[in-house]
Amino acid sequence: MKRKKIIIIGGGPAGLMAAEKLSSVHSVCVFDKEKNIGQKFLIAGKGGFNLTNKAHGLELISKYTPSGFLNNALLSFDSTDLRQWISEIGIPTFVGSSGRVFPEKGIKPIDVLNRIKEKLIQQGVQFFNEHEFIRFDSNKTVTFKNHEGNIVIEADYILFALGGASWPVTGSNGTWRIIFESMGINTKPFQSSNCGINICWPETLRINHAGKPLKNVRLSTSNFKVMGEAIMTDYGLEGNAVYKLVPSIRDMFNNNEPVKINIDFKPLNTKEQLINKVKGKDVSSKNYKEIFNLTTTQLAIIKAFTNKNSFQSIEGFVSSIKKISIPVDSLRPLNEAISSIGGISLDEVNDDFSLKKYPKIYTIGEMLDWDAPTGGFLLQACFSMGNYAAKSILNEDI
Ligand SMILES: Cc1cc2nc3c(=O)[nH]c(=O)nc-3n(C[C@H](O)[C@H](O)[C@H](O)COP(=O)(O)OP(=O)(O)OC[C@H]3O[C@@H](n4cnc5c(N)ncnc54)[C@H](O)[C@@H]3O)c2cc1C
């Protein structure tokens, strides 16, 4: 006999993990406003599908902002636990480059989602798709809108796992914020995270070099630097190294500071080492590319953002190789960002993600205001939060 009635709203990784843990004991219904659950999970699987990252313990928790907020959830269900859980439902994983954990070759994102769903159905979870949550109250009553009208459902516990606001075509559009605000829950506006940046490239540079990679560069702002790869695009820069700079860039924009991104094209060489390369050689700006081993795109960027005198002097040119400063216009919009910050303010929730103002109502996953880089850390946090909230309910209800 199942004991309590639990409704979970939002069929993404956070909600599905909570459903899996709770349904062994309680009666669980999962509601989602889309035709199918897990749409963002499937999108995540289209690129590199990083289910988690091999980082664990202190290394794992160091990836999240603000620090400390997710520690208990992450430490009670870390990347090893996630790999174990997913392998038990029939999805073996492997560790790829930079510690990213992927499903074994040949396993598609839909296979992973179907396995999770099958496990939940076996455990008696009921799914209600095309049910949009539009209201809740302190008696744990939730109103949904579906094609027949409104339905009202009462539960012993409610878990909201409504996602953030990036890629709204997946269903996670953040329109729920207004409902929580109307219930006295503070929320923060959504902002893009893990996204590209807009740069107003000079026209010829844009036309001739959009799509070209900038490999092994160091990117920096005034307070953060990172090594890696970026891709030059029509509108600016994309790529993992750029995403890591986004929190710093976003803070500067939020403080109304002008933002510049600096590129060091030869991070492994000092200025002196680069100057030594020209000793005894007949140098002119025509053979910079060969002498300093630069790509055509690197050279074009340096030329576009260096004044003529500097470009023609060796000292000036080498300084530009080491640091070219490019004004950043803005971050790419939410509909392209991999994740978002904003949503439920963290001071509204207890350690187990239950709302301080509404007992037995929880908010989990990307709908809360935290941040993490790509590389499996986003999904890991969502699964860990689902697990932790479920554990708290199970402990409470013994
Ligand atoms: C392009 C892309 C690539 C990504 N790649 C990775 C990756 O490789 N690794 C990684 O770790 N992370 C990745 N992510 C991020 C990851 O997918 C998300 O962090 C994660 O899906 C968030 O999980 P969630 O359960 O909090 O919410 P979501 O997965 O967003 O699910 C929320 C659910 O709530 C439903 N919902 C919303 N509002 C309502 C409402 N009013 N009523 C009913 N239902 C509602 C939505 O339909 C949705 O199904 C990627 C994201 C994108 C966009």
Side-chain angles (χ1 to χ4, degrees):
M1 169 77 178
K2 301 245 174 167
R3 290 204 295 254
K4 298 280 183 195
K5 180 169 179 186
I6 300 183
I7 61 177
I8 296 176
I9 310 164
L16 296 178
M17 173 55 84
E20 199 274 322
K21 296 292 161 196
L22 289 164
S23 55
S24 53
V25 177
H26 298 298
S27 157
V28 175
C29 298
V30 174
F31 292 83
D32 200 291
K33 71 183 180 52
E34 296 301 308
K35 262 198 180 123
N36 297 298
I37 58 163
Q39 294 304 295
K40 192 177 275 183
F41 188 69
L42 295 181
I43 289 283
K46 275 199 176 160
F49 194 20
N50 318 139
L51 282 169
T52 179
N53 190 287
K54 83 171 191 332
H56 58 271
L58 291 181
E59 192 194 351
L60 178 66
I61 62 179
S62 73
K63 302 291 179 187
Y64 296 86
T65 314
S67 69
F69 167 69
L70 287 167
N71 286 9
N72 287 341
L74 290 164
L75 294 175
S76 94
F77 188 81
D78 71 3
S79 51
T80 314
D81 299 313
L82 179 51
R83 290 185 71 187
Q84 171 75 24
W85 176 78
I86 207 112
S87 103
E88 280 166 9
I89 60 168
I91 305 292
T93 54
F94 71 98
V95 180
S97 61
S98 45
R100 289 156 193 253
V101 173
F102 301 88
E104 286 285 4
K105 295 234 156 31
I107 300 178
K108 296 194 282 299
I110 189 69
D111 302 329
V112 182
L113 185 63
N114 283 342
R115 282 295 164 87
I116 297 175
K117 218 170 139 186
E118 279 160 24
K119 176 92 195 301
L120 298 189
I121 290 169
Q122 270 168 25
Q123 292 183 182
V125 175
Q126 288 179 280
F127 289 92
F128 298 87
N129 294 347
E130 297 182 282
H131 278 65
E132 182 178 2
F133 141 75
I134 53 169
R135 202 176 307 134
F136 75 98
D137 66 25
S138 53
N139 297 323
K140 296 183 289 313
T141 299
V142 186
T143 308
F144 294 94
K145 190 170 79 182
N146 67 12
H147 51 274
E148 284 167 4
N150 288 356
I151 58 162
V152 179
I153 296 180
E154 217 182 304
D156 296 304
Y157 290 89
I158 303 168
L159 283 91
F160 289 105
L162 302 169
S166 76
W167 276 71
V169 287
T170 59
S172 318
N173 58 13
T175 51
W176 49 262
R177 234 187 96 209
I178 194 164
I179 307 172
F180 284 78
E181 282 283 335
S182 74
M183 294 296 289
I185 305 286
N186 288 323
T187 67
K188 303 256 174 73
F190 290 109
Q191 290 184 275
S192 301
S193 200
N194 292 302
C195 60
I197 55 177
N198 287 319
I199 290 170
C200 184
W201 297 120
E203 195 59 4
T204 47
L205 187 62
R206 188 180 65 76
I207 290 170
N208 294 321
H209 298 277
K212 297 281 167 40
L214 301 171
K215 292 191 177 171
N216 304 318
V217 291
R218 180 182 286 125
L219 302 181
S220 64
T221 59
S222 53
N223 60 14
F224 194 81
K225 52 184 171 213
V226 62
M227 290 267 293
E229 182 171 333
I231 313 276
M232 208 183 135
T233 64
D234 263 353
Y235 51 76
L237 288 172
E238 280 286 339
N240 281 337
V242 179
Y243 301 163
K244 289 192 179 133
L245 283 185
V246 164
S248 149
I249 293 175
R250 197 175 45 224
D251 284 349
M252 284 190 270
F253 278 127
N254 288 344
N255 293 330
N256 292 321
E257 293 167 29
V259 183
K260 286 195 167 180
I261 186 170
N262 307 311
I263 310 182
D264 178 348
F265 290 109
K266 294 288 167 193
L268 302 179
N269 292 120
T270 62
K271 231 164 142 180
E272 291 66 37
Q273 285 169 334
L274 291 172
I275 287 178
N276 282 341
K277 284 183 193 269
V278 300
K279 283 207 173 128
K281 291 189 182 148
D282 181 18
V283 186
S284 86
S285 56
K286 292 206 174 67
N287 53 16
Y288 280 163
K289 188 169 172 281
E290 291 69 37
I291 290 175
F292 296 109
N293 191 22
L294 295 165
T295 65
T296 312
T297 302
Q298 289 172 333
L299 190 65
I301 294 176
I302 294 172
K303 198 166 185 180
F305 290 92
T306 308
N307 69 44
K308 200 173 171 192
N309 286 345
S310 260
F311 189 79
Q312 283 172 348
S313 89
I314 294 296
E315 276 275 334
F317 184 75
V318 165
S319 295
S320 296
I321 295 181
K322 291 297 291 172
K323 183 180 177 184
I324 209 79
S325 285
I326 304 174
V328 180
D329 286 351
S330 53
L331 296 178
R332 292 300 286 168
L334 274 166
N335 62 3
E336 286 177 18
I338 289 177
S339 61
S340 59
I341 61 157
I344 303 287
S345 192
L346 300 188
D347 49 20
E348 293 287 357
V349 293
N350 297 306
D351 171 67
D352 62 355
F353 315 118
S354 55
L355 290 173
K356 289 178 184 167
K357 292 174 185 149
Y358 296 97
K360 300 186 193 281
I361 300 185
Y362 294 69
T363 53
I364 51 174
E366 213 183 299
M367 69 180 292
L368 288 134
D369 181 26
W370 53 273
D371 200 11
T374 54
F377 299 109
L378 296 160
L379 285 174
Q380 175 66 52
C382 295
F383 283 123
S384 293
M385 292 168 91
N387 172 72
Y388 198 66
K391 237 176 158 174
S392 169
I393 294 172
L394 293 171
N395 286 339
E396 199 175 292
D397 202 56
I398 288 168

